[in-house]
Amino acid sequence: MSTEPAIETDGLVKAFGGKRAVDGVDLTVAAGAVYGLLGPNGAGKTTTVRMLATLLRPDGGRARVFGKDVVKDADAVRSRVSLTGQYASVDEDLTGLENLILLGRLLGHSKPAARERAGQLLEAFGLAEAADKQVKNYSGGMRRRIDIAASILNTPDLLFLDEPTTGLDPRSRNQVWDIVRAVVAQGTTVLLTTQYLDEADQLASRIAVIDHGKVIAEGTKGELKASVGSGAVHLRLRDAAQRPDAERVLAAALGAEVLLDADPVALTARVNGSGTQQGAAEQAARALAELARTGITVDNFALGQPSLDEVFLALTDKKGTAA
């Protein structure tokens, strides 16, 4: 089996009107898994994908897909990739079945073969009962599923999924996630861009965090979480009036910023503990004892690994979430 990366970029640059949307991106994406490109709106994720898919020409740097240059060997790259963008690309006036048959025919399938493949995908994606309905009458989740089905009529070696679950309800998001896992199980590499931290956590084996056109961190989920501390303390107090005092005590005991959750009795703080889980547990225990000594009652206490939300906030030094 070839160990050739699915994607390699070196100093990739793209500017619009003098502003660099992508500013020197270096990536190496191994074949056969989901690679997450995580960042807020405007971070440069979609522009990066469009260059890798040969839809935009880079202004600087190089990019290769399975060893083929995206500029010099664009046709060879296109023969191995497929792209599902942020918005449905199917014809809303056609039925789901008609869309897939049409695209199958455009891809060179005979009419019987296109119909057979369309039926297989509609069944696999839970759309068989809606096969004869116009796509304009589909729900948001159904539209995303038919769009992904259209992208894999011919199974690509590399599938770009650009924010595939934006605006979907939790059930529809889970359905799309299952489809992504099934596609990867068939051997396709997936480059997933998302602003949803839990989505990257669920699907991606490696993640690059991109902000203002630059990759600011890269690694496995565990590596990224470990980079901002060994753990995170989550507390729920009995009395919301004690939260200001609890924030002060925790900040002093842990030597870390304390985040005030939306819940008025909840607080969260990162724990370093000299970089080990045992050290983090000992530090958290001392903080809990200090809270008790000052008369602050804690109803619930948990020490866990930092979430990707906390990783993103620590890396970008921003308040709020990336979503």
Side-chain angles (χ1 to χ4, degrees), residues 97 100-102 104-105 109-119 153:
L97 178 62
L100 295 185
I101 291 175
L102 172 62
R105 295 286 283 149
H109 294 280
S110 67
K111 190 170 183 178
R115 178 176 287 275
E116 181 181 2
R117 178 61 173 159
L153 275 161

mmCIF file of all heavy atoms in Angstrom, residues 97 100-102 104-105 109-119 153:
data_model
loop_
_atom_site.group_PDB
_atom_site.id
_atom_site.type_symbol
_atom_site.label_atom_id
_atom_site.label_comp_id
_atom_site.label_asym_id
_atom_site.label_seq_id
_atom_site.Cartn_x
_atom_site.Cartn_y
_atom_site.Cartn_z
ATOM 1 N N LEU A 97 -33.881 11.172 -7.234
ATOM 2 C CA LEU A 97 -33.490 10.135 -8.190
ATOM 3 C C LEU A 97 -33.035 10.754 -9.510
ATOM 4 O O LEU A 97 -32.002 10.361 -10.074
ATOM 5 C CB LEU A 97 -34.661 9.178 -8.424
ATOM 6 C CG LEU A 97 -34.424 8.054 -9.439
ATOM 7 C CD1 LEU A 97 -33.302 7.141 -8.978
ATOM 8 C CD2 LEU A 97 -35.715 7.261 -9.647
ATOM 9 N N LEU A 100 -29.493 12.263 -9.290
ATOM 10 C CA LEU A 100 -28.396 11.295 -9.272
ATOM 11 C C LEU A 100 -28.240 10.599 -10.623
ATOM 12 O O LEU A 100 -27.108 10.328 -11.054
ATOM 13 C CB LEU A 100 -28.616 10.275 -8.156
ATOM 14 C CG LEU A 100 -28.579 10.839 -6.718
ATOM 15 C CD1 LEU A 100 -28.698 9.703 -5.707
ATOM 16 C CD2 LEU A 100 -27.321 11.646 -6.456
ATOM 17 N N ILE A 101 -29.342 10.310 -11.297
ATOM 18 C CA ILE A 101 -29.241 9.706 -12.627
ATOM 19 C C ILE A 101 -28.566 10.675 -13.595
ATOM 20 O O ILE A 101 -27.678 10.292 -14.378
ATOM 21 C CB ILE A 101 -30.620 9.290 -13.145
ATOM 22 C CG1 ILE A 101 -31.163 8.108 -12.331
ATOM 23 C CG2 ILE A 101 -30.563 8.919 -14.629
ATOM 24 C CD1 ILE A 101 -32.579 7.712 -12.690
ATOM 25 N N LEU A 102 -28.962 11.944 -13.558
ATOM 26 C CA LEU A 102 -28.376 12.952 -14.438
ATOM 27 C C LEU A 102 -26.866 13.058 -14.214
ATOM 28 O O LEU A 102 -26.082 13.032 -15.173
ATOM 29 C CB LEU A 102 -29.043 14.306 -14.200
ATOM 30 C CG LEU A 102 -28.411 15.509 -14.914
ATOM 31 C CD1 LEU A 102 -28.479 15.341 -16.422
ATOM 32 C CD2 LEU A 102 -29.092 16.808 -14.477
ATOM 33 N N GLY A 104 -24.930 10.857 -12.833
ATOM 34 C CA GLY A 104 -24.301 9.603 -13.236
ATOM 35 C C GLY A 104 -24.060 9.534 -14.733
ATOM 36 O O GLY A 104 -23.007 9.082 -15.193
ATOM 37 N N ARG A 105 -25.034 10.005 -15.500
ATOM 38 C CA ARG A 105 -24.884 10.031 -16.958
ATOM 39 C C ARG A 105 -23.762 10.985 -17.373
ATOM 40 O O ARG A 105 -22.958 10.676 -18.257
ATOM 41 C CB ARG A 105 -26.199 10.459 -17.606
ATOM 42 C CG ARG A 105 -27.337 9.466 -17.396
ATOM 43 C CD ARG A 105 -27.185 8.221 -18.258
ATOM 44 N NE ARG A 105 -27.561 8.510 -19.639
ATOM 45 C CZ ARG A 105 -27.024 7.916 -20.705
ATOM 46 N NH1 ARG A 105 -26.055 7.027 -20.539
ATOM 47 N NH2 ARG A 105 -27.447 8.208 -21.913
ATOM 48 N N HIS A 109 -21.700 7.015 -16.928
ATOM 49 C CA HIS A 109 -22.420 5.768 -16.707
ATOM 50 C C HIS A 109 -23.511 5.597 -17.767
ATOM 51 O O HIS A 109 -24.112 6.583 -18.234
ATOM 52 C CB HIS A 109 -23.084 5.760 -15.326
ATOM 53 C CG HIS A 109 -22.122 5.755 -14.185
ATOM 54 N ND1 HIS A 109 -21.487 4.624 -13.762
ATOM 55 C CD2 HIS A 109 -21.686 6.759 -13.383
ATOM 56 C CE1 HIS A 109 -20.700 4.916 -12.734
ATOM 57 N NE2 HIS A 109 -20.805 6.206 -12.483
ATOM 58 N N SER A 110 -23.794 4.371 -18.134
ATOM 59 C CA SER A 110 -24.961 4.105 -18.974
ATOM 60 C C SER A 110 -26.214 4.416 -18.170
ATOM 61 O O SER A 110 -26.175 4.498 -16.939
ATOM 62 C CB SER A 110 -24.979 2.647 -19.417
ATOM 63 O OG SER A 110 -25.201 1.793 -18.299
ATOM 64 N N LYS A 111 -27.358 4.557 -18.848
ATOM 65 C CA LYS A 111 -28.586 4.893 -18.129
ATOM 66 C C LYS A 111 -28.956 3.821 -17.108
ATOM 67 O O LYS A 111 -29.289 4.146 -15.959
ATOM 68 C CB LYS A 111 -29.736 5.118 -19.118
ATOM 69 C CG LYS A 111 -30.973 5.711 -18.456
ATOM 70 C CD LYS A 111 -31.995 6.152 -19.483
ATOM 71 C CE LYS A 111 -33.198 6.807 -18.816
ATOM 72 N NZ LYS A 111 -34.183 7.296 -19.789
ATOM 73 N N PRO A 112 -28.901 2.523 -17.464
ATOM 74 C CA PRO A 112 -29.203 1.504 -16.444
ATOM 75 C C PRO A 112 -28.230 1.546 -15.269
ATOM 76 O O PRO A 112 -28.638 1.394 -14.115
ATOM 77 C CB PRO A 112 -29.100 0.186 -17.220
ATOM 78 C CG PRO A 112 -29.339 0.567 -18.650
ATOM 79 C CD PRO A 112 -28.721 1.913 -18.804
ATOM 80 N N ALA A 113 -26.931 1.750 -15.579
ATOM 81 C CA ALA A 113 -25.928 1.783 -14.513
ATOM 82 C C ALA A 113 -26.132 3.004 -13.615
ATOM 83 O O ALA A 113 -25.980 2.926 -12.390
ATOM 84 C CB ALA A 113 -24.523 1.790 -15.109
ATOM 85 N N ALA A 114 -26.462 4.161 -14.222
ATOM 86 C CA ALA A 114 -26.701 5.373 -13.447
ATOM 87 C C ALA A 114 -27.901 5.190 -12.529
ATOM 88 O O ALA A 114 -27.886 5.599 -11.359
ATOM 89 C CB ALA A 114 -26.913 6.556 -14.383
ATOM 90 N N ARG A 115 -28.975 4.565 -13.053
ATOM 91 C CA ARG A 115 -30.159 4.334 -12.234
ATOM 92 C C ARG A 115 -29.865 3.364 -11.088
ATOM 93 O O ARG A 115 -30.328 3.568 -9.951
ATOM 94 C CB ARG A 115 -31.301 3.799 -13.104
ATOM 95 C CG ARG A 115 -32.583 3.486 -12.340
ATOM 96 C CD ARG A 115 -33.699 3.066 -13.274
ATOM 97 N NE ARG A 115 -34.200 4.219 -14.024
ATOM 98 C CZ ARG A 115 -35.127 5.059 -13.558
ATOM 99 N NH1 ARG A 115 -35.637 4.878 -12.342
ATOM 100 N NH2 ARG A 115 -35.538 6.051 -14.310
ATOM 101 N N GLU A 116 -29.090 2.321 -11.374
ATOM 102 C CA GLU A 116 -28.744 1.353 -10.325
ATOM 103 C C GLU A 116 -27.916 2.003 -9.232
ATOM 104 O O GLU A 116 -28.173 1.806 -8.034
ATOM 105 C CB GLU A 116 -27.978 0.174 -10.943
ATOM 106 C CG GLU A 116 -27.600 -0.884 -9.906
ATOM 107 C CD GLU A 116 -26.819 -2.038 -10.522
ATOM 108 O OE1 GLU A 116 -26.535 -1.999 -11.747
ATOM 109 O OE2 GLU A 116 -26.476 -2.971 -9.771
ATOM 110 N N ARG A 117 -26.916 2.791 -9.635
ATOM 111 C CA ARG A 117 -26.064 3.462 -8.648
ATOM 112 C C ARG A 117 -26.863 4.478 -7.839
ATOM 113 O O ARG A 117 -26.702 4.588 -6.617
ATOM 114 C CB ARG A 117 -24.894 4.152 -9.360
ATOM 115 C CG ARG A 117 -23.939 4.927 -8.449
ATOM 116 C CD ARG A 117 -23.278 4.019 -7.434
ATOM 117 N NE ARG A 117 -22.250 4.727 -6.680
ATOM 118 C CZ ARG A 117 -21.799 4.335 -5.491
ATOM 119 N NH1 ARG A 117 -22.289 3.236 -4.929
ATOM 120 N NH2 ARG A 117 -20.868 5.025 -4.867
ATOM 121 N N ALA A 118 -27.755 5.203 -8.496
ATOM 122 C CA ALA A 118 -28.600 6.169 -7.799
ATOM 123 C C ALA A 118 -29.456 5.470 -6.752
ATOM 124 O O ALA A 118 -29.586 5.943 -5.610
ATOM 125 C CB ALA A 118 -29.473 6.917 -8.799
ATOM 126 N N GLY A 119 -30.035 4.328 -7.118
ATOM 127 C CA GLY A 119 -30.853 3.574 -6.175
ATOM 128 C C GLY A 119 -30.059 3.101 -4.977
ATOM 129 O O GLY A 119 -30.548 3.137 -3.839
ATOM 130 N N LEU A 153 -20.940 9.482 -6.425
ATOM 131 C CA LEU A 153 -21.457 8.604 -7.483
ATOM 132 C C LEU A 153 -20.323 7.762 -8.053
ATOM 133 O O LEU A 153 -20.461 6.552 -8.265
ATOM 134 C CB LEU A 153 -22.113 9.435 -8.575
ATOM 135 C CG LEU A 153 -23.570 9.805 -8.318
ATOM 136 C CD1 LEU A 153 -23.976 10.989 -9.183
ATOM 137 C CD2 LEU A 153 -24.478 8.620 -8.594
#
